[in-house]
Amino acid sequence: MDGVGKDSPRELTPRALVAGGLIGAGLAVSNVYMGLKLGLWESGGVLASLLAFSGMKALSARWGPAPSSLETNLAQTAATAAGAMPAAAGLMGAIPALSLLGRPTPGWVVGLWGVGLGVLGVLMAFVLRRRLLEEEALPFPSGAVTAELVSTLHASGAAPVMRTGWMWGAGLGGMCVTWLREGWKVLPATSFLPGRLGGVPLEQLQLGVGWSPMLLGLGVLVGPQAGLSLLLGALVAWGVLAPWLVREGRVASASYELLVAWLTWPGVGLMVGASAVTLVTLGLSLPRTAVELLRRGRAHQARGDAASGGGVLALALSVLVLLGVGHAGFGLHPLALLGVLLLSLPLCAVGARAAGLTDISPVATMGDLQQGVFGAVSPGQPALGVAAGSVAAGTMAQTGVSLWSFQTGRLLGASPHWQLRVQLAGVLLGAAVSVPTYFLLVTAHGPGSSELPVPFALQFRAVAEVSARGLAGLPPSAALAAGLGAGVGLVLSVLSRGRLARFVPSATALGIGFLVPARDAVTLCLGALLAAGFLRVRPGSSSVLHMLGAGAIVGESLLGLLLIVLGLLGLFG
C-alpha cells in the first residue's frame, strides 16, 4: 500500500472529484433502474475504484502524474455516496409505495427528504467509525475488498486498465440491444413459449425470457444461488399459484396487476420471515445500543471529532429539513417525526454492526421494524407508517455504504475528514441525479406495472397496511399465504446460518420472485447460470465477468433513460 505521507498531498484533487462525480451519477441512474425493477442495488465500491483508477491513469499519460491510491479512494467514496442515494431517498421503496397508496409525493419533497436522510446517514457513519472500525475491528468485508483492489491496481500498473474495456464493450452491447428493442423495435421485450399452464396462456403469466442486458448483467453480479432462488420463487408464484388464482376465480383476469395484488402477500411474508432472526436480535440490542450511542456521541463531541468540518451544523440542518419536509410533505407531526428520528439512530447503529459482520446492510429490515413500531403507536395511518419507515431504511442505506468507504480509507491511510466531506457532496449529487431519474421512469411506466414492478415498494405497502388495518383487509386466503410464507422464510433464514448455507435458497430472493414478472426472474437466472458456467471453464475470470455485468446494466440504464426523455419531449415514440 502507498505510504500516507506520499499520498496525502494528492488525496483531494479536481480529477478525483470529477471522476467520482461522473461514476456516482452513473451508479445513481442504474440503481434507480435496478431498484424499481428488482428491488436490488449495487454499492459500487469495487466498480467505482476500477473505473476511477482507469480513467485517471489514462489521462495521466498526457496530463499530470499518475493517480495516487488516496485519489482513487476519494473518487470511490464520492461515487458510492452518490450511488446510495436512490435507496437513501426511498426511491425504491417508500416513495413508490406512497404512490401505490394514492399519496404521490412532489419532487421537491422527495429531493429534500432524500438529502436530509443521506446527510444523517453519513454523519451517523462518521460517529460510529472509530467504535466499529478501530475499537471493535469489525471486518466490513466490502470495504476491505475495495482497499485490496485499490492497492493491487496501484501496484500492478496499467494492466488492470485493460479490464475496463470489457465493461465499455458490454455497455455498448447493452445500448445496441436496448435500441433494437425500444428504438427500432425489431426485438420483442419478451420471447414467450407457446402453450398454456392451468388453462392460462404462458404469455399472460409472463413466463418467458426478456431481451434485457440489464437483467442478464444483474444475474452475473448476484450469482447462481440468488438467481436460482429468484427463479424458484417465480415458478411457484407464476407457474403454480397464478393459474390456481385464475382457475378458482380469485382474480378477475390473468393480468399482472391483479395477480401481483394477491401474490404480494406470500412474497412479503417470505421476506419478512427471512428478516425475523435479525428483527429479534435488533429488538434485544436496541436499549444497550441507544445508551452506547449517546455515550459515544458525547465522547466524540468532547474530542471535537463530530464538530469538525461543520458536522454539528450539517446534523442540525438535516434534522430541521427533515422535520419541515416531513410535516409539509408527508403530514408527519414534528414531535412524532422527532421520535422516529431518535428511534432510527440506535436502529442504524445495530444495523451498521450487522453490516460490519455480515457485509449485508439490513435496509429493508430497518424499514419494516420502524413501520411496525409506528403502526403500533399510531394505528390506522398506512401512508404515515411508510414515511416513518423510510427514515430508518434511508438512513441505514447511506450509513452502511459510508462505513464500507471509511473501512477502505482506513486500510489505505486516508483522511476520514476528507472522506466525510466528499460523502456529503456525493449525497447532493446523488439526489440531483436520482430524483429526476425516478420521476422520468414512473411517468413513463407507472409504479407497480410489469415494466416497473417495484418489489421493495410492495413490501413497504404491505407492512403498512397490516400495521394500520390488521389482516382483515387482505384478499381472500392471502393472510394464510402470508403466514405460510413467513414460516418458510424463517426456516430458511435459520438454515442459511448453518453448514447447509450454500445449498439453502435465499428467502429474500424467493420473495422477490413472487413480486416481479416471471420473465425478469428467468432472464436474471439465465445470466447467473451463464456466468457460473463460464467460471467453471475459466476459473480466474471473475473480474472480467463483473465488468461485463456492470457494463450491461449501465448501458441499458443510460440509453433507456435517454429514450424516455426523448419520448417525453416528443422527439421519440
Side-chain angles (χ1 to χ4, degrees), residues 380-393:
Q381 303 180 81
L384 295 185
V386 169
S390 73
V391 175

mmCIF file with all atom_site columns, all heavy atoms in Angstrom, residues 380-393:
data_model
loop_
_atom_site.group_PDB
_atom_site.id
_atom_site.type_symbol
_atom_site.label_atom_id
_atom_site.label_alt_id
_atom_site.label_comp_id
_atom_site.label_asym_id
_atom_site.label_entity_id
_atom_site.label_seq_id
_atom_site.pdbx_PDB_ins_code
_atom_site.Cartn_x
_atom_site.Cartn_y
_atom_site.Cartn_z
_atom_site.occupancy
_atom_site.B_iso_or_equiv
_atom_site.pdbx_formal_charge
_atom_site.auth_seq_id
_atom_site.auth_comp_id
_atom_site.auth_asym_id
_atom_site.auth_atom_id
_atom_site.pdbx_PDB_model_num
ATOM 1  N N   . GLY A 1 380 ? -53.792 2.852  11.974 1.00 0.00 ? 380 GLY A N   1
ATOM 2  C CA  . GLY A 1 380 ? -54.759 3.414  11.041 1.00 0.00 ? 380 GLY A CA  1
ATOM 3  C C   . GLY A 1 380 ? -54.218 4.452  10.096 1.00 0.00 ? 380 GLY A C   1
ATOM 4  O O   . GLY A 1 380 ? -54.989 5.145  9.435  1.00 0.00 ? 380 GLY A O   1
ATOM 5  N N   . GLN A 1 381 ? -52.892 4.572  9.990  1.00 0.00 ? 381 GLN A N   1
ATOM 6  C CA  . GLN A 1 381 ? -52.299 5.599  9.119  1.00 0.00 ? 381 GLN A CA  1
ATOM 7  C C   . GLN A 1 381 ? -51.192 4.966  8.266  1.00 0.00 ? 381 GLN A C   1
ATOM 8  O O   . GLN A 1 381 ? -50.006 5.178  8.530  1.00 0.00 ? 381 GLN A O   1
ATOM 9  C CB  . GLN A 1 381 ? -51.727 6.745  9.956  1.00 0.00 ? 381 GLN A CB  1
ATOM 10 C CG  . GLN A 1 381 ? -52.739 7.402  10.878 1.00 0.00 ? 381 GLN A CG  1
ATOM 11 C CD  . GLN A 1 381 ? -52.119 8.524  11.691 1.00 0.00 ? 381 GLN A CD  1
ATOM 12 O OE1 . GLN A 1 381 ? -51.953 9.653  11.202 1.00 0.00 ? 381 GLN A OE1 1
ATOM 13 N NE2 . GLN A 1 381 ? -51.770 8.236  12.920 1.00 0.00 ? 381 GLN A NE2 1
ATOM 14 N N   . PRO A 1 382 ? -51.569 4.180  7.257  1.00 0.00 ? 382 PRO A N   1
ATOM 15 C CA  . PRO A 1 382 ? -50.549 3.454  6.484  1.00 0.00 ? 382 PRO A CA  1
ATOM 16 C C   . PRO A 1 382 ? -49.564 4.361  5.771  1.00 0.00 ? 382 PRO A C   1
ATOM 17 O O   . PRO A 1 382 ? -48.373 4.064  5.708  1.00 0.00 ? 382 PRO A O   1
ATOM 18 C CB  . PRO A 1 382 ? -51.373 2.631  5.489  1.00 0.00 ? 382 PRO A CB  1
ATOM 19 C CG  . PRO A 1 382 ? -52.705 3.306  5.425  1.00 0.00 ? 382 PRO A CG  1
ATOM 20 C CD  . PRO A 1 382 ? -52.931 3.875  6.788  1.00 0.00 ? 382 PRO A CD  1
ATOM 21 N N   . ALA A 1 383 ? -50.038 5.493  5.209  1.00 0.00 ? 383 ALA A N   1
ATOM 22 C CA  . ALA A 1 383 ? -49.127 6.385  4.490  1.00 0.00 ? 383 ALA A CA  1
ATOM 23 C C   . ALA A 1 383 ? -48.086 6.977  5.432  1.00 0.00 ? 383 ALA A C   1
ATOM 24 O O   . ALA A 1 383 ? -46.900 7.076  5.092  1.00 0.00 ? 383 ALA A O   1
ATOM 25 C CB  . ALA A 1 383 ? -49.912 7.493  3.791  1.00 0.00 ? 383 ALA A CB  1
ATOM 26 N N   . LEU A 1 384 ? -48.525 7.374  6.625  1.00 0.00 ? 384 LEU A N   1
ATOM 27 C CA  . LEU A 1 384 ? -47.572 7.911  7.596  1.00 0.00 ? 384 LEU A CA  1
ATOM 28 C C   . LEU A 1 384 ? -46.603 6.831  8.057  1.00 0.00 ? 384 LEU A C   1
ATOM 29 O O   . LEU A 1 384 ? -45.425 7.109  8.314  1.00 0.00 ? 384 LEU A O   1
ATOM 30 C CB  . LEU A 1 384 ? -48.318 8.504  8.790  1.00 0.00 ? 384 LEU A CB  1
ATOM 31 C CG  . LEU A 1 384 ? -49.198 9.733  8.516  1.00 0.00 ? 384 LEU A CG  1
ATOM 32 C CD1 . LEU A 1 384 ? -49.775 10.270 9.817  1.00 0.00 ? 384 LEU A CD1 1
ATOM 33 C CD2 . LEU A 1 384 ? -48.403 10.812 7.797  1.00 0.00 ? 384 LEU A CD2 1
ATOM 34 N N   . GLY A 1 385 ? -47.078 5.593  8.149  1.00 0.00 ? 385 GLY A N   1
ATOM 35 C CA  . GLY A 1 385 ? -46.187 4.498  8.513  1.00 0.00 ? 385 GLY A CA  1
ATOM 36 C C   . GLY A 1 385 ? -45.097 4.274  7.481  1.00 0.00 ? 385 GLY A C   1
ATOM 37 O O   . GLY A 1 385 ? -43.936 4.007  7.826  1.00 0.00 ? 385 GLY A O   1
ATOM 38 N N   . VAL A 1 386 ? -45.457 4.398  6.200  1.00 0.00 ? 386 VAL A N   1
ATOM 39 C CA  . VAL A 1 386 ? -44.458 4.261  5.136  1.00 0.00 ? 386 VAL A CA  1
ATOM 40 C C   . VAL A 1 386 ? -43.416 5.369  5.251  1.00 0.00 ? 386 VAL A C   1
ATOM 41 O O   . VAL A 1 386 ? -42.205 5.118  5.152  1.00 0.00 ? 386 VAL A O   1
ATOM 42 C CB  . VAL A 1 386 ? -45.142 4.299  3.752  1.00 0.00 ? 386 VAL A CB  1
ATOM 43 C CG1 . VAL A 1 386 ? -44.100 4.435  2.646  1.00 0.00 ? 386 VAL A CG1 1
ATOM 44 C CG2 . VAL A 1 386 ? -45.962 3.038  3.537  1.00 0.00 ? 386 VAL A CG2 1
ATOM 45 N N   . ALA A 1 387 ? -43.863 6.608  5.447  1.00 0.00 ? 387 ALA A N   1
ATOM 46 C CA  . ALA A 1 387 ? -42.926 7.717  5.582  1.00 0.00 ? 387 ALA A CA  1
ATOM 47 C C   . ALA A 1 387 ? -42.012 7.511  6.786  1.00 0.00 ? 387 ALA A C   1
ATOM 48 O O   . ALA A 1 387 ? -40.803 7.773  6.726  1.00 0.00 ? 387 ALA A O   1
ATOM 49 C CB  . ALA A 1 387 ? -43.689 9.034  5.710  1.00 0.00 ? 387 ALA A CB  1
ATOM 50 N N   . ALA A 1 388 ? -42.585 7.032  7.908  1.00 0.00 ? 388 ALA A N   1
ATOM 51 C CA  . ALA A 1 388 ? -41.777 6.788  9.094  1.00 0.00 ? 388 ALA A CA  1
ATOM 52 C C   . ALA A 1 388 ? -40.760 5.675  8.838  1.00 0.00 ? 388 ALA A C   1
ATOM 53 O O   . ALA A 1 388 ? -39.587 5.778  9.228  1.00 0.00 ? 388 ALA A O   1
ATOM 54 C CB  . ALA A 1 388 ? -42.677 6.420  10.275 1.00 0.00 ? 388 ALA A CB  1
ATOM 55 N N   . GLY A 1 389 ? -41.180 4.601  8.168  1.00 0.00 ? 389 GLY A N   1
ATOM 56 C CA  . GLY A 1 389 ? -40.256 3.512  7.873  1.00 0.00 ? 389 GLY A CA  1
ATOM 57 C C   . GLY A 1 389 ? -39.121 3.923  6.970  1.00 0.00 ? 389 GLY A C   1
ATOM 58 O O   . GLY A 1 389 ? -38.012 3.386  7.059  1.00 0.00 ? 389 GLY A O   1
ATOM 59 N N   . SER A 1 390 ? -39.376 4.908  6.102  1.00 0.00 ? 390 SER A N   1
ATOM 60 C CA  . SER A 1 390 ? -38.321 5.350  5.193  1.00 0.00 ? 390 SER A CA  1
ATOM 61 C C   . SER A 1 390 ? -37.187 6.043  5.926  1.00 0.00 ? 390 SER A C   1
ATOM 62 O O   . SER A 1 390 ? -36.079 6.129  5.395  1.00 0.00 ? 390 SER A O   1
ATOM 63 C CB  . SER A 1 390 ? -38.908 6.293  4.133  1.00 0.00 ? 390 SER A CB  1
ATOM 64 O OG  . SER A 1 390 ? -39.212 7.565  4.683  1.00 0.00 ? 390 SER A OG  1
ATOM 65 N N   . VAL A 1 391 ? -37.443 6.558  7.136  1.00 0.00 ? 391 VAL A N   1
ATOM 66 C CA  . VAL A 1 391 ? -36.385 7.241  7.885  1.00 0.00 ? 391 VAL A CA  1
ATOM 67 C C   . VAL A 1 391 ? -35.280 6.259  8.248  1.00 0.00 ? 391 VAL A C   1
ATOM 68 O O   . VAL A 1 391 ? -34.098 6.490  7.970  1.00 0.00 ? 391 VAL A O   1
ATOM 69 C CB  . VAL A 1 391 ? -36.958 7.915  9.147  1.00 0.00 ? 391 VAL A CB  1
ATOM 70 C CG1 . VAL A 1 391 ? -35.835 8.509  9.996  1.00 0.00 ? 391 VAL A CG1 1
ATOM 71 C CG2 . VAL A 1 391 ? -37.956 8.999  8.766  1.00 0.00 ? 391 VAL A CG2 1
ATOM 72 N N   . ALA A 1 392 ? -35.648 5.137  8.877  1.00 0.00 ? 392 ALA A N   1
ATOM 73 C CA  . ALA A 1 392 ? -34.635 4.148  9.264  1.00 0.00 ? 392 ALA A CA  1
ATOM 74 C C   . ALA A 1 392 ? -34.021 3.483  8.039  1.00 0.00 ? 392 ALA A C   1
ATOM 75 O O   . ALA A 1 392 ? -32.806 3.279  7.974  1.00 0.00 ? 392 ALA A O   1
ATOM 76 C CB  . ALA A 1 392 ? -35.247 3.101  10.183 1.00 0.00 ? 392 ALA A CB  1
ATOM 77 N N   . ALA A 1 393 ? -34.850 3.143  7.032  1.00 0.00 ? 393 ALA A N   1
ATOM 78 C CA  . ALA A 1 393 ? -34.329 2.468  5.840  1.00 0.00 ? 393 ALA A CA  1
ATOM 79 C C   . ALA A 1 393 ? -33.366 3.376  5.081  1.00 0.00 ? 393 ALA A C   1
ATOM 80 O O   . ALA A 1 393 ? -32.276 2.949  4.672  1.00 0.00 ? 393 ALA A O   1
ATOM 81 C CB  . ALA A 1 393 ? -35.483 2.042  4.938  1.00 0.00 ? 393 ALA A CB  1
#
